[in-house]
Amino acid sequence: MADVRQWVVAGGIVEGPDGLLLVQNRRRNGSLDWSTPGGVIEVHEGESVVDGLTREVEEETGIVVTEWRGPLFHVETEATGLGWHLRVEVHQAVAFHGDIRIDDPDGIVVDARFVDPSACGPHLDTCHPWVREPLAAWLADRWHEARRFRYRIDGDSMATASVTRL
């Protein structure tokens, strides 16, 4: 069996007067989905999760976060049949400045906007459950102590795989 790729990803909850900052991502297959800003952290290059998150949010949106709280939640998703394991930390911005500017060097983020929390549901409908469910739970309960979410993906193709929350 091939090696399982280990990914560390950070997500940022950034709320301003106009709502929660969401980014629209264009995936490799051309599909679009919305999520909070964030991305892969280069831990093998010595980057901390918070430093990587700060970098990702600024690259994707132009917003500069100067203080974070958290993590608010951790998500672990194992997809053995697909050859990957994902570990996510989601933090909340406490202090930030700047204006939205989309200039993602990875070319994934194609839109960014602040969305009223009550209107986030339709934006998140096309997200994977391991993105949508923890964020929706946090929006409903607004906790401050870290919570954990775990998922398993069974199958060797995302098109046909089943996702189970553990």
Side-chain angles (χ1 to χ4, degrees):
M1 175 154 175
D3 289 334
V4 173
R5 181 165 182 193
Q6 303 283 330
W7 281 331
V8 176
V9 171
I13 293 177
V14 180
E15 281 191 287
D18 296 325
L20 178 67
L21 181 60
L22 295 178
V23 296
Q24 187 177 44
N25 308 286
R26 181 176 310 280
R27 302 302 177 184
R28 287 186 184 134
N29 65 4
S31 67
L32 296 170
D33 63 43
W34 290 88
S35 67
T36 57
V40 175
I41 306 306
E42 306 297 339
V43 291
H44 62 279
E45 295 178 14
E47 184 174 54
S48 75
V49 171
V50 170
D51 288 345
L53 178 56
T54 302
R55 173 186 53 77
E56 286 285 343
V57 170
E58 185 174 2
E59 285 177 357
E60 293 179 355
T61 69
I63 301 296
V64 177
V65 178
T66 56
E67 184 180 349
W68 293 101
R69 173 186 309 137
L72 294 177
F73 54 91
H74 301 266
V75 180
E76 188 172 344
T77 304
E78 187 152 350
T80 306
L82 295 167
W84 55 264
H85 178 264
L86 176 68
R87 185 175 61 85
V88 181
E89 281 189 22
V90 177
H91 295 255
Q92 182 179 26
V94 175
F96 62 92
H97 60 87
D99 296 315
I100 292 178
R101 173 189 39 81
I102 301 162
D103 190 24
D104 182 12
D106 299 320
I108 296 169
V109 173
V110 296
D111 194 2
R113 63 181 72 157
F114 285 95
V115 177
D116 187 282
S118 66
C120 285
H123 284 82
L124 302 175
D125 282 346
T126 58
C127 289
H128 293 298
W130 58 89
V131 175
R132 178 182 63 248
E133 291 173 0
L135 180 57
W138 184 83
L139 285 170
D141 292 343
R142 303 291 181 131
W143 64 77
H144 295 288
E145 298 297 320
R147 292 190 183 175
R148 295 199 174 277
F149 296 82
R150 292 183 57 231
Y151 295 85
R152 183 184 70 235
I153 301 172
D154 294 307
D156 57 8
S157 164
M158 279 306 293
T160 59
S162 65
V163 178
T164 304
R165 182 166 174 194
L166 305 174

